[in-house]
Amino acid sequence: MRTRRLRVPSLVGGTLLLVASLPPPLCSQAGRIPYEAFSLPNGLRVLYSEDHSTPIVSVDVWYNTGSRNERPGRSGFAHLFEHMMFEGSAHVKKGEHFQLISRAGGSENGSTAEDRTNYYETVPSNRLNLALWLEADRMRALAITEENFRNQRETVKEERRLRIDNPPYAAAFVDGMTWPFDSTSCFPYAHTVIGSMDDLNAAQLADVQAFFDTYYAPNNATLVVVGDFRPLELRRLVNQYFSDIPRHPDPPPVTCSARFSPGMMRREVTDQHANLPAVVRIYRVPSHADPDTPALELLNIILGQGESSRLNVAIVRREKAAVGTQVAMNPFDSRRGPGVLLALAIANQGIDALRLDTLLAAQIDTLRTAGVTADELTKAKNTFRANFIHNRETTLGRVEELHHYDMFHASVAEINTDLDRYMGLTADDVRRVAAKYLDPANALVIIVRPPAVGSAK
């Protein structure tokens, strides 16, 4: 039975307050996450946070590899591995990973971004051993066979067709994120996470094995566990399952040379699946660790999040020039290198794409010159704070938050102080950042036209 320690009662303003050390559930509601850490001799880092409010536990492994670690001619490998990691390992048959977690009453998945690849399970707390054992088995000995490789390569190709090549505007949005960066000086961010069809077709089994040997090692991974467990038992299980996995040579460093405001770039593309013209404006932004990121994230909310956002009010509702707008910063995940802020507007019927771009540019320039109102800033802070706390309400959410601060921040400890940075921003901070990064010379403008249309009417 867990006990709750109370401090000495104190009188504040005539009211008797019982000041207690908050248990994990209340800490998470306030946006705070208690955590501890340890490492194994083979280099595996482990972060963990107890939460005994619900008998579940989330296990999440992040590998320090994503599309940024790929080389020219071999794009898409990080995402291909996300699929390969569910194809079986030394003691787990093909497809059995899903079956074992499902039978235990849990859920699992994985995802790939530019800077990381992750794999997670959420299971009843009495099956923590199963989740840890499964992750250790595929870290140690993934089943890299010709059959699995060819099967999953075709799955990834079909996923590209389904999510990027066939939906309207998706190619301009996803491929467009890579165009602000030169493939010679910054290949890590000059190609898509999912990769190209040509590169996937050219991939060989030996390439896949080499990628696994380079990046899928304990010294290139971090394990985070959040939920209903005892720390001593967690340490015992982690040592039992992971300690004998050998360390690999450290992966080669990633280099990217990119600059801001090199001059406006413009492209015009035809989208065979689009019925209406569209405009995508893409602005280069710094790495997540940059001091300007908090203001950029509030700017992102003000510009394009919600019914009362600048673009929706001005372009959709007032001008009726667009059927919809969308704004996103680094849609897949944060980055340790240069990123992008994208603004998309799909034209209303009869609206010329160039006119739509003029309206879009005017709204963005207004932020640079006139800044934001007090009401807009308050709304953005409230929206950010609500999302910030909402992301920390589940064991899986807190697992991902710990990983995020471990990879993208100077210290994991910022997980419990970062909100203060956002709440302390002023309208002048947001205006300064808008002036710096929403500069027309820092923009890539993409005009998307439907097929067989020379210019919008």
Side-chain angles (χ1 to χ4, degrees), residues 343-360:
L344 165 69
I346 301 174
N348 216 334
Q349 290 193 8
I351 299 298
D352 183 85
L354 296 181
R355 178 177 174 238
L356 179 60
D357 180 48
T358 299
L359 293 171
L360 187 61

Side-chain angles (χ1 to χ4, degrees), residues 177-211:
M177 288 195 295
T178 70
W179 294 342
F181 306 105
D182 181 77
S183 60
T184 301
S185 59
C186 186
F187 181 76
Y189 301 105
H191 67 286
T192 62
V193 173
I194 202 167
S196 71
M197 287 294 192
D198 288 343
D199 285 0
L200 290 169
N201 286 329
Q204 301 295 321
L205 184 65
D207 299 323
V208 177
Q209 183 67 59
F211 194 89

Side-chain angles (χ1 to χ4, degrees), residues 14 58 77 94 98 121 152 199 205 344 347 424 443:
S58 290
F77 267 53
K94 181 183 177 72
F98 293 105
E121 297 86 13
Q152 291 309 302
D199 285 0
L205 184 65
L344 165 69

